[in-house]
Amino acid sequence: MAAPGPVVAIEEHYLDAEVYAIAGGAGGSLATRMRDLGAQRLREMDEAGVDIQVLSHAPPGLQRVPASSAADVARRANDRLAEVVAAHPTRFAAFASLPTAVPDAAAAELERTVRELGFKGAMIHGTTDGLFLDDARFWPILERAEALDVPLYIHPALPMAAVRQAYMGKYAETHPTFATAAWGFTIETGTHAMRLVLSGALEAFPRLQLILGHLGEGIPFLMARIDEALSRDTPTKTFRKLFTDHFHVTTSGFFSDPALACCIAEMGVDRILFSIDWPFVENAPGVDWLRTFELGDADKAKIFGGNAKRLLKLA
């Protein structure tokens, strides 16, 4: 069964050698596959029916590069990524890596990559120096993203060491994914998103658009309870509206019929974007799953690529 319309996958990772040498990240065969930005990657896309990948650096990326060198490293890495996209302009697009340790430089780099290189926004991996994006020092990045009308993708990173020790303890050793994809990424990134809602940043930047992977890091499933609880005795009376007006969620690594149905019910089909989370997850299972999900072709086409084309202004 063919997908109804083009398939655009928007959380698909690569590795830049310079960034990786400084910040580290996944090794072994995963690192080898992420370094390939040509024949092998394109062949795997073709075999699964993926038309376009929006490339983003794998975690932890620029968020672990020191302030002293981050801006220069970001410029070089983004320029190299632009060359990759230019070599395959109908198959690849890009999210910028930002030197968030230097917020003003990060805002400037976002503008440069969007205006000069044609990038579609940026991906940010978790905290920077232990701080989430709700901290006012990072608001110049949010302001610039709003002005440029491009989204910021808030991607998971490993929870801070103190959090891992307190919450995961010995189980981070016996069951390593407890601290990462099985639970740690969700609580870290869901907290990041909630802090942005509570901070006032979304009222300050009312057109800002943000993206969460993994079907919203648990928030859509808890939406009613979060919204009701926050309205009891705090000024936050509009959590649901702020979240659904500002956030999109993607299917990255979470190919579940009940979970997707919940997200559609809570957020609307126009706020759902397709992604795989390649190479941490294989292409074919994600494409095959959404093809068979019970949804009309028009709405399914929105998720497969139409919503991404609109949000990212893809040709």
Side-chain angles (χ1 to χ4, degrees), residues 183-200:
W183 190 241
F185 285 169
T186 293
I187 61 171
E188 176 84 357
T189 315
T191 299
H192 201 155
M194 287 192 65
R195 290 177 66 114
L196 281 164
V197 174
L198 299 178
S199 69

Side-chain angles (χ1 to χ4, degrees), residues 77-101:
N78 287 325
D79 283 347
R80 287 188 286 267
L81 181 55
E83 292 175 0
V84 171
V85 174
H88 301 281
T90 65
R91 305 303 305 275
F92 296 143
F95 285 133
S97 293
L98 299 183
T100 48

Side-chain angles (χ1 to χ4, degrees), residues 237-293:
K237 307 294 186 184
T238 57
F239 178 87
R240 177 187 293 276
K241 179 169 174 53
L242 286 169
F243 188 83
T244 57
D245 282 354
H246 289 269
F247 281 89
H248 295 72
V249 305
T250 86
T251 63
S252 57
F254 198 171
F255 310 142
S256 161
D257 285 10
L260 178 56
C262 175
C263 288
I264 293 171
E266 290 288 359
M267 301 188 66
V269 73
D270 291 342
R271 289 271 162 180
I272 316 297
L273 307 167
F274 182 69
S275 64
I276 300 290
D277 203 359
W278 189 92
F280 302 100
V281 180
E282 296 296 324
N283 287 320
V287 177
D288 292 344
W289 160 70
L290 188 55
R291 281 176 178 155
T292 60
F293 181 74

Side-chain angles (χ1 to χ4, degrees), residues 8 29 39-40 49 54 63 65 78 85 90 96 111 122 126 137 140-141 143 150 161 164 184 221 224 234 243 245 286:
V8 181
S29 62
Q40 177 182 335
V54 182
Q63 280 56 72
V65 175
N78 287 325
V85 174
T90 65
E111 179 155 0
R137 74 190 68 187
I141 303 171
E143 182 179 28
V150 295
R164 298 199 305 274
F221 320 118
T234 76
F243 188 83
D245 282 354

